[in-house]
Amino acid sequence: MVLEGNPEVGSPRTSDLQHPGNQGSCVLSSPGEDAQPGEEPIKYGELIVLGYNGCLASGDKGRRRSRLALSRRPHANGVKPDVIHHISTPLVSKIGRSTENMIDFVVTDTSPGGGAAEGPSAQSTISRYACRILCDRRPPYTARIYAAGFDASSNIFLGERAAKWRTPDGLMDGLTTNGVLVMHPAGGFSEDSAPGVWREISVCGNVYTLRDSRSAQQRGKLVENESNVLQDGSLIDLCGATLLWRTPAGLLRAPTLKQLEAQRQEANAARPQCPVGLSTLAFPSPARGRTAPDKQQPWVYVRCGHVHGYHGWGCRRERGPQERECPLCRLVGPYVPLWLGQEAGLCLDPGPPSYAFAPCGHVCSEKTARYWAQTPLPHGTHAFHAACPFCGAWLTGEHGCVRLIFQGPLD
C-alpha cells in the first residue's frame, strides 16, 4: 500500500526515522509560513537516544548522533496524505536509504548494556522510515508524532504484513510492522514525574492501545481522549531504539554540562576514601571516556551501596563472575565501577550524584534514578523492562538502583 503525499501543501516535513540494514532514520518538519530573512532560528525541542550517555561510541557525526536539536527550517516542507494506491508487488525504489536528503536523523538499534548492536547477526527491528515529527511554525510550536515517513517521492510505503485499514472519512491509516510506541509521563518530566501508559501511534497520528505483540495484524483499541502531541519527557520507542523528547522549557530545568562537571569536582574535593584500603577515590574526567577504570576509580557493591576502591578479594564465583562479598555488611552481589551520567537531558533535576543504577554503576541524582528505575521500556515483541538511560543495561535488584554510601577522609 502506498500513501502518496502532495508536496505542494506548504506544511513542513516531519523527521523520518529510516532503516537501511541495521539503522533507522527520522524526518522532521514544521507547518506554516516561511521564516523571515535574518530571523533568529526557533528551537522546537531535542531528541535524545537512550543508552549512549552523551555521545555515540564512534562519535556524533552528521545525521548519526545521540542527540538532535529540532529547529524551524527556513522554508516549510511538510506533506499530507493525498492519493492512495494499492499495489500487489513491491516497487523497485531507492527507499530506506539513510543518505536521502529528506532524512534528518538516523538511529541504530541499541543493545542492552552499551551502545549500538554490532556484527552481521545484529538484524534491525526498526522500520526503515520509522516515524515523522511535525512541528507547528507558530507558538506554542506544538510537536506531533506520526508512524512511518514519506520518502523522496512523497510516498509512504507500508510492508505487506503491516496492519492497515480505511478510516470513516475515506483515508487509509496503518501501523508500521513493529510499531511506534509513545509514553507521556504523568506530571511532566520533573521531580514529581511518574511513568505513564504506553500507546501506539498510527500513520495518521491516531492513538491506540498496544497490540498483543509488536507485529500482530490486529490493531489495538482507539484511544479517543489522547493525542499524538509530544510533551516534555515523552518517550518514543521504535522497537530497537528509544528516544526521549525534551522541550526548550524542560531543558532549562535540566542540569547543564558545567553543573555536572562542578558536581564531579565537588564530589572529588570531599576526598572519599576506600573504607578498607584507605585510598582516596575520585571520579574520572568525562574527557577520558569509558575506558578501563583507573586506580582511583570508585567501585560499589550494588546490593548495599558501599563504595570502595578496587580490590581482588571477596569473590564468590560460585554465584557468578562479578559476585563479591562486601567487607562491611557481608552482602553478596555485583561489584562494579561507578561512572557519572553525562547526558544532562536524561536528568529530572540538578540534584547531587548520590544514586547508582544496578548493575551498571551509572551515577545520577536520587529522583532521576528512581524515575528511570520504575519506568518500563519496551523490549522484544511484548516485554517491558526498566533500563539504565545512560547505557541501556536492564536494571536488576529490588529497586533497580541503590543509594551510594561514601566514607569521608579520616583526617
Side-chain angles (χ1 to χ4, degrees):
M1 180 190 76
V2 182
L3 295 181
E4 182 173 293
N6 180 359
E8 304 298 329
V9 298
S11 63
R13 182 191 69 228
T14 61
S15 276
D16 297 336
L17 287 139
Q18 165 220 22
H19 161 58
N22 67 340
Q23 299 164 345
S25 23
C26 174
V27 180
L28 316 168
S29 66
S30 47
E33 74 282 352
D34 292 345
Q36 298 301 313
E39 189 176 2
E40 286 291 325
I42 302 296
K43 183 177 180 179
Y44 298 133
E46 292 190 11
L47 288 170
I48 303 171
V49 186
L50 302 191
Y52 293 99
N53 200 20
C55 185
L56 299 181
S58 58
D60 288 348
K61 302 172 185 176
R63 291 177 288 189
R64 289 180 175 85
R65 49 185 60 246
S66 65
R67 185 170 183 162
L68 179 74
L70 279 66
S71 301
R72 188 165 69 172
R73 300 174 183 273
H75 305 287
N77 66 340
V79 291
K80 67 181 181 181
D82 183 21
V83 180
I84 302 168
H85 299 284
H86 294 271
I87 57 176
S88 57
T89 57
L91 296 178
V92 178
S93 173
K94 292 177 154 181
I95 62 175
R97 304 280 180 96
S98 60
T99 56
E100 293 192 4
N101 292 331
M102 88 290 302
I103 295 166
D104 299 289
F105 195 27
V106 178
V107 295
T108 303
D109 293 62
T110 305
S111 59
E118 297 179 353
S121 61
Q123 184 175 358
S124 176
T125 51
I126 303 175
S127 296
R128 57 182 61 200
Y129 285 101
C131 70
R132 296 161 284 140
I133 296 175
L134 183 67
C135 303
D136 291 341
R137 294 176 72 87
R138 305 182 187 91
Y141 307 115
T142 302
R144 296 175 175 83
I145 186 168
Y146 302 82
F150 294 96
D151 67 2
S153 302
S154 298
N155 295 319
I156 284 183
F157 290 81
L158 291 181
E160 183 180 351
R161 298 177 58 188
K164 54 189 80 75
W165 60 92
R166 189 178 294 275
T167 63
D169 54 5
L171 294 175
M172 292 299 296
D173 202 356
L175 307 171
T176 58
T177 302
N178 290 326
V180 174
L181 308 188
V182 172
M183 187 271 280
H184 306 301
F189 198 68
S190 66
E191 299 180 18
D192 300 320
S193 292
V197 179
W198 283 97
R199 303 296 194 194
E200 182 162 12
I201 305 297
S202 73
V203 170
C204 292
N206 295 313
V207 182
Y208 292 86
T209 60
L210 302 187
R211 291 177 268 180
D212 291 338
S213 66
R214 292 296 291 254
S215 58
Q217 291 287 309
Q218 181 62 40
R219 68 180 184 270
K221 295 181 179 179
L222 179 67
V223 184
E224 296 184 356
N225 62 340
E226 297 182 18
S227 76
N228 62 336
V229 173
L230 294 176
Q231 308 167 13
D232 187 43
S234 292
L235 287 172
I236 304 167
D237 187 82
L238 305 176
C239 195
T242 305
L243 299 86
L244 175 69
W245 170 256
R246 298 303 313 267
T247 63
L251 288 171
L252 289 177
R253 299 189 297 268
T256 64
L257 290 178
K258 287 185 178 180
Q259 286 177 311
L260 293 181
E261 175 59 17
Q263 289 178 349
R264 183 188 75 86
Q265 294 182 12
E266 183 178 355
N268 290 346
R271 296 172 55 212
Q273 288 192 337
C274 174
V276 177
L278 302 182
S279 58
T280 300
L281 308 176
F283 287 103
S285 167
R288 275 191 57 222
R290 185 160 178 168
T291 57
D294 62 23
K295 295 180 179 179
Q296 288 188 296
Q297 184 98 20
W299 287 63
V300 66
Y301 291 90
V302 296
R303 283 197 62 195
C304 59
H306 285 116
V307 178
H308 290 250
Y310 179 76
H311 55 75
W313 33 264
C315 298
R316 292 293 181 268
R317 298 195 184 280
E318 69 277 8
R319 300 195 185 184
Q322 281 191 309
E323 299 293 301
R324 301 284 187 93
E325 180 181 272
C326 174
L328 298 184
C329 66
R330 301 299 182 186
L331 279 177
V332 176
Y335 175 62
V336 299
L338 292 175
W339 304 93
L340 291 173
Q342 292 299 316
E343 178 49 81
L346 300 176
C347 301
L348 274 75
D349 68 338
S354 56
Y355 272 68
F357 289 107
C360 62
H362 276 103
V363 180
C364 59
S365 71
E366 176 183 1
K367 291 186 179 297
T368 298
R370 292 191 182 279
Y371 173 77
W372 289 107
Q374 63 179 343
T375 300
L377 300 179
H379 169 66
T381 57
H382 54 266
F384 289 81
H385 205 295
C388 171
F390 301 108
C391 70
W394 298 349
L395 302 184
T396 59
E398 182 180 357
H399 304 292
C401 60
V402 63
R403 182 175 68 86
L404 298 176
I405 305 173
F406 290 92
Q407 175 173 297
L410 296 180
D411 57 356

